[in-house]
Amino acid sequence: MRRWDVPGRVNLIGEHLDYNGGPVLPVAIDRSVTIKARARDDAMVNVWSDLSGAAKVSFATTVQPGDVDGWASYVAGTIWSLAERGHSIPGADLVIESRLPPNAGLSSSAATTCGVASALDDLFGLGLDRTAVALVAQHAESGFVGAPVGLMDQLAVLNGTAGNAVLIDTAVTPHTTSSVALGWEADGLVLAVIATGAHHSLADGEYAARREECERAAAELGLEWLAQAGLDATVRLEDETLKARTRHVLTETARVRGAVNAIARRAWPQLGTILTASHASLRDDFQVSCPELDVAVEAALEAGALGARMTGAGFGGSAIALVAPEQVQPLRERVEARYAAHQWSRPEVFVVHAADGAHRVPN
Ligand code: GLA
C-alpha cells in the first residue's frame, strides 16, 4: 500500500485570475485528504471513501467521461486522464479519507485528483513530476468532471510548504511558482476559515460563464490575457458586464502585488484592507459572492478581523479572515448568531496554518 497525504488550500488573494494570466497566492493548509493505493492486475479500479459513507465504487481502467458521476468522478477522471496521456494502469484499490469539511471550497477535489495521480505514479513508476501531476489532475476536472478550472488549486496542493504561501505566475506556460513566507503568526495573528456550508448549484455554470466573459473581454481588447489590461480597458469596453469583469481582474492583479509587498513588510493592517477590498470586487464587479459569504465577511470584520474575503470560486464555500487568536471565538459567535438569524445552517470556523504539499507518508 502506498499512502499519500495531500492538503486542501485557501487562496489568500488573486481570485479568478488563474485563467486570466494573473498572479495568484494560495496557501496549502493543515487539513488534508489521504489516499491509500494498492495495485491490481484485473483492469479494475475499486474506490472506498468516507465521502460516500465508505460505499465501494468500481469501474474499469478504460473508464470514459459519463461512466461515473458524483465524488467518484474525480477519481475515475484521474484514471482516464492518465490513460489519455499514455499512462494506462493495470488496476488499483484506492481508499480515500478526507479531513476537509464538505462543500467548503477548500479544494478537496484537487487534493483527491492530485493525490490519486501521485499515489499511482509512485505505485507504478509512471515518472510524473509535479507539473505533470497538476496537468493530469486539471484535465480530469475539465475533461471528465466537466469543470473548466485553472491550475491554481493543483499547483497549491502540490507545491505548498509549511509557513509559506505559493505565488503562481499564470501568464507563463508552464506556470512558475515561488514561496512567500507568511510571518503573521509571529506577530500575533492567525488565518481563520469560515466554512459556510453553502453550495449554490449554479456554481459550475457560472464559473464557465465568467471564464467565457473574460476571454471575450481580452479578445475585444486585443490581449492574450485579461490580466494584462491597463486602466484604459474599462473605458474602451462598451459592454457593462465585460467592463465590470475586467475591472475586477485588473484591480485584483494590483491587489496581489500589494499583498505580496505588505507581507514582505509585515504590514498586516494593510494586508487586511487589501483582502477586504478583494471581497468587495468579487461581490460587486465579478459577482461570484452570495449572501452567506457576504454575511461571513461582515461578521468577521465586526468581530475585529483586520480583513476578510471569500476564497475560491465563490457561490458558497468558505471565507477567510486575518484575526488575532483571541478574536476567533468572538468571531465564531458573531457569525453563528448572524447565520441563526437567517436560519442558515451553522457555519464551521477554524484556524488554518500553511502546510506542506502532497507527500508520501509511511504506512
Ligand atoms: C476554483 C478553480 C481555480 C480558480 C478559482 C478561482 O478554485 O479550481 O482554478 O479559478 O476557482 O480563483
Side-chain angles (χ1 to χ4, degrees), residues 323-341:
V323 287
E326 61 274 15
Q327 287 168 327
V328 173
Q329 185 53 24
L331 184 157
R332 180 179 291 119
E333 284 165 14
R334 192 171 280 262
V335 183
E336 282 180 4
R338 295 280 305 268
Y339 271 49

Side-chain angles (χ1 to χ4, degrees), residues 20 213-230 232-234 236-238 242 246:
N20 281 309
E213 287 161 356
C214 289
E215 279 160 14
R216 209 144 35 93
E220 280 192 27
L221 293 165
L223 300 171
E224 183 187 6
W225 298 114
L226 193 53
Q228 295 165 337
D232 61 325
T234 52
R236 283 167 56 208
L237 290 168
E238 280 183 9
L242 296 193
T246 303

Side-chain angles (χ1 to χ4, degrees), residues 9 15-16 18-19 149-150 152-153 207 312-313:
R9 67 95 189 92
E15 213 65 83
H16 288 275
D18 67 341
Y19 52 86
V149 294
M152 169 175 78
D153 303 342
Y207 184 93

Side-chain angles (χ1 to χ4, degrees), residues 9 11 13-19 24 105-107 109-110 138 141 147-154 207 211 248 252 282 286 288 309-314:
R9 67 95 189 92
N11 187 16
I13 194 147
E15 213 65 83
H16 288 275
L17 293 189
D18 67 341
Y19 52 86
V24 296
L106 299 175
S107 284
S109 53
Q138 183 198 33
E141 278 203 55
V149 294
L151 266 171
M152 169 175 78
D153 303 342
Q154 298 79 2
Y207 184 93
R211 215 182 150 135
H248 168 71
E252 185 77 350
L282 288 156
F286 216 66
V288 290
R309 61 180 289 271
M310 55 155 277
T311 190

Side-chain angles (χ1 to χ4, degrees), residues 7-170:
R9 67 95 189 92
V10 293
N11 187 16
L12 192 57
I13 194 147
E15 213 65 83
H16 288 275
L17 293 189
D18 67 341
Y19 52 86
N20 281 309
V24 296
L25 191 63
V27 180
I29 57 172
D30 52 346
R31 291 227 175 178
S32 61
V33 172
T34 301
I35 318 276
K36 291 183 212 152
R38 182 171 58 201
R40 300 180 64 89
D41 59 7
D42 60 356
M44 288 301 294
V45 178
N46 299 318
V47 195
W48 292 263
S49 173
D50 55 2
L51 299 167
S52 61
K56 181 172 104 171
V57 175
S58 298
F59 49 85
T61 53
T62 52
V63 66
Q64 292 297 311
D67 291 351
V68 177
D69 56 16
W71 66 271
S73 63
Y74 292 91
V75 183
T78 307
I79 309 290
W80 167 81
S81 176
L82 280 169
E84 286 248 303
R85 284 161 189 264
H87 301 295
S88 299
I89 59 154
D93 286 333
L94 296 162
V95 180
I96 301 175
E97 288 162 350
S98 176
R99 282 166 298 282
L100 291 163
N103 287 337
L106 299 175
S107 284
S108 59
S109 53
T112 302
T113 51
C114 290
V116 168
S118 299
L120 296 175
D121 170 53
D122 184 13
L123 193 59
F124 297 114
L126 305 178
L128 306 177
D129 62 14
R130 282 195 200 136
T131 303
V133 168
L135 290 169
V136 163
Q138 183 198 33
H139 188 50
E141 278 203 55
S142 56
F144 196 102
V145 181
V149 294
L151 266 171
M152 169 175 78
D153 303 342
Q154 298 79 2
L155 291 173
V157 306
L158 290 165
N159 293 295
T161 46
N164 300 297
V166 186
L167 179 62
I168 307 173
D169 180 355
T170 71

